[in-house]
Amino acid sequence: MKFIINVLLLLVVLPTFSQNTLKGNVVDKTNQQSIPSANIYFPQLEKGTTSNNNGDFIINDLPNGNHKIVISYLGYETISLNVNLPLEEQLNIEMSPSAIEMEGIIISTPFHKLQSENVMKVEQKKVNDLSAEGAINLSNGISNFSGVESISTGLGIGKPVIRGLSANRVLVYAQGVRLENQQYGDEHGLGLSSSGIESIEVIKGPASLLYGSDALGGVLYFNPEKFAQSNTTNADASANYFSNTKGFDSNLGLKHSTDNFKYLFRGNIAEHADYKTDDYRVTNTRFLEKDFKAGLGYQVTHFKTEFRYNVNHAKIGIPEDIGEQSTFVTPLEPFQEITNHVMSSKSTFFFDNSKLDVNFGLTYNDRKEFEEHHHDEEHEEDEEHEEEEHDEHDDEHEEEVEEAALHMKLKTLNYDVKYHLPELGKFETIVGIQGLTQSNTNYGEEELIPDANMNDIGFFATSHIHFDNADIQLGARYDNRNIQVVSGLDKNFNSFNGAIGLKTDLFENFIARINLATGFRAPNLAELTSNGVHHGTNRYEIGNENLTSEKNFQTDIALEYKTEHVELFANGFYNRINDYIFLSPNGDEIDSAPVFIYVQDNAKLFGGEFGFHLHPHPLDWLHFESSFETVTGKQDDNNYLPLIPANSITNIIRAEFETGSLKKGYAFVKLKSTFRQNNVSAFETSTDSYNLLSAGFGGSFNLFNKELNVSISGTNLSNKTYIHHLSRLKPDGIFNIGRNISFGITYRL
């Protein structure tokens, strides 16, 4: 670490290299008319502008070297080019009209390419689009990705599931750093607010090459909102109301940038009462959340850096049964009180033909859980008497503050250093080092997992090779993880992993992607050291310190046919996991709770996502989308794995239009049909099929020369009573949320 710091200090004082200016013009390819307000953006430099009324643009202070530039505009095909600076002549860009949506830049893979150029299949969605479809929070919204579901405990707690894998098998990144917040537990949610998050990317399948342990099942990558463009100031305020939970969230943001400095601030408050089914409100599914984000950036020609900070405070009820019926928002016992701090620093040093990325992250998760207290009548009478005495002597006595039964603090420092080597012919190559140091400390009466320290370090190299009709990406990585527990347990886990992928044009408009990758996951503290009752699942869990790392090999095949008006896709996978860790009962009971022990067996998961998107000519404003997703998980003895999502099919009809004063208008109707889940483990029950109908519309208006965005959406419009297979309330027969109508407004100042 000291060596890295010394290198960084040396780089800071490097002499300034030449600065470049890029001038260009953007026109329509069919008629050569200028395109105003086109977006011109250097993703690796995080620098951009928009074209003026004549289609002209200019960007200053650009470093030497080969840089990717992306040009996008609604209604046109997104263009990605490599520009070698200095460039003496003007860059003239011709854009082709297209009914297909604009492509986003993929950040979670290291080469920052459009998805159409990516060897690895990555899906990306805008958070605003998920909110427009009625998503109440992030954990609710991620289920809009095909192949992604959520293990839920009401609405306040949700854990991502990617193709049947969850918990420590799915890695979450926020602000460019890995998020560590005791994610091993079913009742531990994301700890993130959708406020200040621009988009979400999903890598399905092992991403250990890029991210190390815990990315065996995939990665959820949350991209923070961008800073304002140079010499501009932006502000916005938004509010959303949700009829089912009588809930709301409000949001206020401000950002400003000069040529060199930039900053942003965003605050959010959300509160929800117990959600309602057709018959009842589900007691204690209420939650409160406060979120604040800030960012500060500095950029000159050959150096850019940014610091971001996020604090998220949430009080979340833990439902147990149907009891009190109210619309109060303050959680009852038992409940969680969680404060999550995320601090990140991202810096890039640009050289003539290479660059160095240096990222640091610090996460501090303060988790408290308060238990429900049961009292007999005599105890209640004593309490009433004590309350009377307390009132009489209020001046002499202070009210005692209840202590948390469970109180853990998890502190994690992680680092990520990547060097992008100069391009050698057709090769783009990155070498890097990643790691973290982590400590878990208990302060409460109970101990779910013991005090412990963990250290990770990984070394990797990956290359992207360009051919005329194909692209290949490959790489290798070595990781070491050490876990030290105060009891004396000291474990080391090592793993070599690799990946190779091919993207090729089989014929015109038909793209094939084949990816082969290995992954691994070291056992977590709960699996190694548990020894007590897990109240959330009503079982006594016993860890196994002899567990070995899970290792997998996955094959992905993605086929995509795309024309201006038709898109077809088929994504299939086969995932073989050796030494899969799971809980199994041993037939004993302790404290009237069944005993479950952690064991290992080989497993396999297979399935995929299939669908089409049609926007018929000349009705380019009309879209038909349909997708089917399926996953099956089995042990080697052919017993099914637990917590595997049911198969489902989603059909959407969507219209996009502009009329009169309405801009960016849209309307949609969506029907998601979930099939009966009969492929269940020995400790699960089957789940019935159901259909959920959603619809919504919205658009933008000009109010006082500023943009006002309005959206109205409804989910479960038929008020269907159903139970999701991954709901932790399923064993108690508690239904999921009923009909919900949401109203949202955003005003850009």
Side-chain angles (χ1 to χ4, degrees):
M1 182 65 69
K2 186 176 180 181
F3 170 76
I4 294 174
I5 294 174
N6 289 335
V7 171
L8 298 183
L9 290 174
L10 176 64
L11 291 170
V12 168
V13 297
L14 286 175
T16 302
F17 296 89
S18 59
Q19 301 177 357
N20 298 290
T21 295
L22 178 66
K23 297 180 180 180
N25 179 260
V26 186
V27 298
D28 187 307
K29 185 176 183 178
T30 59
N31 56 28
Q32 296 300 304
Q33 289 186 356
S34 300
I35 300 179
S37 301
N39 296 304
I40 300 94
Y41 187 65
F42 285 90
Q44 293 158 326
L45 304 177
E46 296 186 21
K47 201 175 185 72
T49 187
T50 56
S51 57
N52 62 20
N53 289 334
N54 297 319
D56 297 323
F57 67 87
I58 182 170
I59 305 178
N60 298 310
D61 297 330
L62 298 172
N64 289 347
N66 194 22
H67 305 287
K68 182 170 291 295
I69 184 172
V70 175
I71 304 93
S72 60
Y73 187 68
L74 186 65
Y76 288 83
E77 183 179 345
T78 300
I79 296 175
S80 174
L81 301 171
N82 286 319
V83 177
N84 196 0
L85 299 176
L87 187 68
E88 298 299 332
E89 67 272 13
Q90 175 174 286
L91 183 64
N92 296 313
I93 299 165
E94 296 182 337
M95 302 191 73
S96 299
S98 174
I100 300 172
E101 291 86 350
M102 290 189 303
E103 281 192 85
I105 300 164
I106 301 300
I107 306 299
S108 56
T109 52
F111 297 101
H112 290 246
K113 300 181 181 298
L114 300 178
Q115 178 50 44
S116 58
E117 304 171 311
N118 229 10
V119 173
M120 183 181 295
K121 180 69 174 177
V122 180
E123 289 192 32
Q124 183 190 75
K125 289 183 183 292
K126 300 291 186 182
V127 168
N128 287 341
D129 294 339
L130 299 179
S131 298
E133 293 182 19
I136 292 177
N137 51 25
L138 274 180
S139 60
N140 183 239
I142 60 174
S143 60
N144 286 280
F145 286 86
S146 60
V148 182
E149 288 287 353
S150 182
I151 299 172
S152 63
T153 307
L155 293 176
I157 302 173
K159 296 194 66 61
V161 180
I162 299 179
R163 288 177 168 175
L165 296 177
S166 60
N168 278 96
R169 299 180 180 97
V170 172
L171 191 60
V172 175
Y173 257 61
Q175 297 177 192
V177 299
R178 62 183 290 163
L179 188 65
E180 293 289 317
N181 63 347
Q182 310 283 12
Q183 62 267 26
Y184 61 86
D186 289 347
E187 72 283 7
H188 298 172
L190 284 171
L192 290 173
S193 166
S194 60
S195 170
I197 294 178
E198 184 171 292
S199 63
I200 306 172
E201 297 174 16
V202 178
I203 301 176
K204 303 172 188 175
S208 293
L209 170 66
L210 302 177
Y211 297 104
S213 179
D214 302 345
L216 176 144
V219 176
L220 270 178
Y221 200 99
F222 295 94
N223 292 315
E225 66 176 306
K226 295 184 181 71
F227 289 97
Q229 289 189 4
S230 296
N231 300 307
T232 62
T233 300
N234 305 124
D236 63 84
S238 65
N240 292 274
Y241 174 75
F242 304 91
S243 65
N244 185 287
T245 61
K246 310 296 182 186
F248 75 90
D249 70 57
S250 56
N251 192 305
L252 183 63
L254 171 67
K255 51 187 176 181
H256 172 74
S257 294
T258 65
D259 285 332
N260 302 118
F261 289 96
K262 46 194 174 183
Y263 64 83
L264 61 82
F265 301 98
R266 185 164 298 278
N268 174 260
I269 298 176
E271 61 179 41
H272 293 267
D274 298 336
Y275 76 76
K276 189 178 185 301
T277 70
D278 186 37
D279 299 324
Y280 49 77
R281 290 195 178 273
V282 181
T283 307
N284 212 26
T285 53
R286 62 196 73 172
F287 62 96
L288 306 164
E289 183 180 40
K290 297 177 181 178
D291 188 87
F292 175 75
K293 292 181 172 73
L296 178 65
Y298 173 72
Q299 184 167 10
V300 289
T301 304
H302 283 82
F303 173 72
K304 69 180 179 70
T305 187
E306 68 177 56
F307 173 81
R308 291 184 187 253
Y309 171 67
N310 174 216
V311 57
N312 182 277
H313 179 77
K315 292 182 70 173
I316 307 170
I318 301 177
E320 293 184 317
D321 50 33
I322 305 301
E324 167 191 295
Q325 297 289 288
S326 76
T327 55
F328 297 139
V329 296
T330 301
L332 304 169
E333 293 178 341
F335 68 89
Q336 301 175 350
E337 185 172 350
I338 305 165
T339 304
N340 207 41
H341 302 265
V342 181
M343 288 163 277
S344 62
S345 168
K346 297 176 59 181
S347 300
T348 302
F349 301 86
F350 296 97
F351 311 108
D352 276 352
N353 294 297
S354 63
K355 68 173 184 174
L356 179 69
D357 294 326
V358 182
N359 300 338
F360 293 98
L362 176 63
T363 59
Y364 171 36
N365 179 259
D366 189 353
R367 175 179 297 275
K368 298 177 182 178
E369 297 191 7
F370 296 85
E371 292 184 352
E372 183 177 13
H373 290 78
H374 300 279
H375 310 284
D376 54 30
E377 292 182 1
E378 182 179 347
H379 193 181
E380 288 177 355
E381 290 177 0
D382 290 342
E383 280 192 333
E384 290 177 3
H385 180 65
E386 289 176 3
E387 278 187 24
E388 291 175 1
E389 289 184 348
H390 172 76
D391 291 338
E392 292 174 2
H393 304 283
D394 190 46
D395 294 335
E396 300 178 9
H397 301 279
E398 294 183 0
E399 186 176 356
E400 183 179 354
V401 178
E402 182 183 357
E403 295 290 334
L406 179 70
H407 186 188
M408 295 187 294
K409 294 183 180 180
L410 185 70
K411 301 174 184 177
T412 308
L413 172 67
N414 56 59
Y415 55 90
D416 180 357
V417 180
K418 296 188 183 80
Y419 180 57
H420 299 244
L421 278 70
E423 291 188 23
L424 297 175
K426 299 179 182 296
F427 284 77
E428 288 183 73
T429 301
I430 299 172
V431 296
I433 178 174
Q434 294 172 331
L436 65 81
T437 179
Q438 183 179 93
S439 66
N440 182 75
T441 310
N442 286 274
Y443 294 88
E445 303 171 2
E446 300 179 1
E447 186 176 285
L448 185 60
I449 60 173
D451 293 355
N453 296 307
M454 183 175 74
N455 289 281
D456 266 4
I457 189 167
F459 306 89
F460 71 95
T462 180
S463 289
H464 190 112
I465 311 167
H466 304 272
F467 297 100
D468 291 338
N469 295 314
D471 289 272
I472 294 175
Q473 187 170 320
L474 51 86
R477 180 182 180 114
Y478 170 76
D479 284 275
N480 174 265
R481 169 170 288 187
N482 173 255
I483 299 176
Q484 295 181 334
V485 185
V486 292
S487 62
L489 180 68
D490 191 336
K491 302 287 289 186
N492 276 287
F493 303 95
N494 304 281
S495 182
F496 283 96
N497 288 282
I500 183 169
L502 168 68
K503 169 189 167 288
T504 184
D505 299 325
L506 293 180
F507 50 84
E508 186 178 2
N509 300 323
F510 196 103
I511 297 175
R513 292 180 175 89
I514 301 175
N515 283 275
L516 309 175
T518 64
F520 90 107
R521 182 183 74 89
N524 61 45
L525 278 174
E527 294 163 339
L528 292 169
T529 63
S530 288
N531 188 14
V533 175
H534 194 302
H535 295 285
T537 55
N538 193 31
R539 60 193 179 203
Y540 195 101
E541 297 180 1
I542 298 178
N544 180 356
E545 64 182 45
N546 296 315
L547 294 174
T548 60
S549 294
E550 296 179 340
K551 296 184 178 181
N552 78 326
F553 179 80
Q554 181 163 316
T555 302
D556 280 277
I557 299 178
L559 304 176
E560 183 178 308
Y561 175 75
K562 180 183 292 188
T563 66
E564 186 177 356
H565 298 286
V566 178
E567 298 176 57
L568 300 171
F569 68 89
N571 307 323
F573 74 95
Y574 183 87
N575 188 3
R576 174 71 179 180
I577 305 178
N578 293 327
D579 298 317
Y580 184 88
I581 301 171
F582 61 98
L583 279 165
S584 179
N586 66 359
D588 297 337
E589 284 192 1
I590 298 178
D591 297 333
S592 301
V595 175
F596 279 67
I597 60 174
Y598 283 97
V599 295
Q600 292 185 290
D601 191 12
N602 296 335
K604 57 188 175 185
L605 297 98
F606 52 90
E609 304 86 39
F610 314 88
F612 74 92
H613 181 184
L614 173 67
H615 26 91
H617 183 74
L619 306 178
D620 294 339
W621 51 269
L622 188 62
H623 299 258
F624 299 92
E625 300 176 39
S626 182
S627 62
F628 171 73
E629 56 189 85
T630 177
V631 58
T632 300
K634 287 185 174 183
Q635 300 174 40
D636 268 4
D637 60 7
N638 277 330
N639 285 326
Y640 289 103
L641 296 177
L643 298 174
I644 300 297
N647 298 341
S648 65
I649 185 168
T650 302
N651 294 288
I652 301 174
I653 300 176
R654 181 164 50 90
E656 297 171 349
F657 51 87
E658 293 191 3
T659 176
S661 59
L662 177 65
K663 307 296 182 183
K664 303 176 185 176
Y666 70 88
F668 74 90
V669 177
K670 172 179 168 182
L671 179 66
K672 182 171 184 178
S673 301
T674 302
F675 298 94
R676 181 178 175 86
Q677 178 58 295
N678 288 320
N679 300 335
V680 296
S681 73
F683 319 113
E684 293 180 308
T685 58
S686 59
T687 306
D688 290 336
S689 62
Y690 54 89
N691 297 291
L692 297 180
L693 179 65
S694 304
F697 63 91
S700 298
F701 302 89
N702 196 356
L703 181 64
F704 304 119
N705 295 320
K706 301 294 182 180
E707 183 182 8
L708 174 67
N709 184 272
V710 179
S711 64
I712 301 175
S713 62
T715 56
N716 192 6
L717 290 173
S718 63
N719 209 22
K720 175 73 174 179
T721 54
Y722 73 99
I723 298 178
H724 192 279
H725 185 67
L726 300 186
S727 170
R728 291 185 63 249
L729 305 182
K730 178 176 178 283
D732 298 315
I734 296 176
F735 296 129
N736 285 77
I737 187 171
R739 181 189 299 115
N740 178 59
I741 308 296
S742 59
F743 306 86
I745 58 170
T746 300
Y747 189 56
R748 306 190 187 283
L749 306 174

